[in-house]
Amino acid sequence: MRVSSVSLRRFAAPLLLALILGACSSSADKPKPKSNAELRQDTVTQAMAGDADAQYRLGYDLCCGQGDARGKYDVALATQWLCRAAHQNNARAQYRLGMIYAGNLVESGLTARLLRQVISSNGPKPQPRLAAMWLDLAMASGHEQAGKRRIDLTKQMEAADHIAVEKMRAKWRSAPCEWNTVHGITGR
């Protein structure tokens, strides 16, 4: 079979063009991935601008994730960010606040059990009513795990607690939210 010069040109020109264009987009032109510090700063900027998801991520890191840029955990600052997100109906932030005020900063495993023991003996006491309110709001916002955690919390509560939670939920936007306010800590 003979290949005509016309058909060869028809295939050669696009092939040559593809090779030339491929050489133009070298790896030097690709953007360099952002560092962890740059990603964290982007999250802070978005959170300060009112982005509820960024506020949640920042709050989660400060209480239960990687900590701040130095790896330091700060539950008081975490709840400030989580409260901002929760007041924008962010279900994950509402759930996390419920877990924090139930005394469950870390949810499972040996580390969680040890941390709960340390917190319960040395730190502020859990706030089951406030925790229940936040878990109820998270359930209403569609958080899947909130219902299970709320049932666990219900088993520890009395009738008066349930009535108080109903009243709190009716005025949830004015309920105390931030760690220092909830626990009466001043001077920070």
Side-chain angles (χ1 to χ4, degrees), residues 72-172:
K72 179 183 171 201
Y73 294 91
D74 187 338
V75 177
L77 184 57
T79 60
Q80 290 176 17
W81 287 112
L82 291 170
C83 289
R84 291 179 187 182
H87 280 99
Q88 294 184 63
N89 294 317
N90 183 292
R92 294 183 304 165
Q94 293 167 338
Y95 173 77
R96 184 57 46 201
L97 286 167
M99 296 306 292
I100 288 171
Y101 291 123
N104 296 319
L105 288 173
V106 181
E107 293 185 46
S108 63
L110 178 61
T111 304
R113 288 194 300 275
L114 293 172
L115 185 58
R116 277 195 283 279
Q117 287 176 347
V118 169
I119 290 172
S120 65
S121 63
N122 299 321
K125 299 293 178 215
Q127 302 290 321
R129 291 177 177 181
L130 187 59
M133 180 199 77
W134 284 116
L135 290 172
D136 286 350
L137 292 167
M139 281 189 324
S141 296
H143 195 284
E144 293 178 17
Q145 296 174 340
K148 294 177 210 167
R149 301 298 183 198
R150 179 61 167 96
I151 290 169
D152 294 341
L153 194 57
T154 297
K155 295 173 185 174
Q156 304 167 21
M157 299 172 73
E158 297 182 15
D161 295 321
H162 295 291
I163 293 168
V165 170
E166 290 295 322
K167 289 179 181 178
M168 290 171 70
R169 197 171 53 235
K171 297 179 181 182
W172 72 274

Side-chain angles (χ1 to χ4, degrees), residues 27 33 41 43 60 66 94 97 107 112 119 137 147 149 177 181:
S27 61
Q41 186 55 50
T43 301
Y60 180 85
Q66 301 171 6
Q94 293 167 338
L97 286 167
E107 293 185 46
I119 290 172
L137 292 167
R149 301 298 183 198
C177 184
T181 305

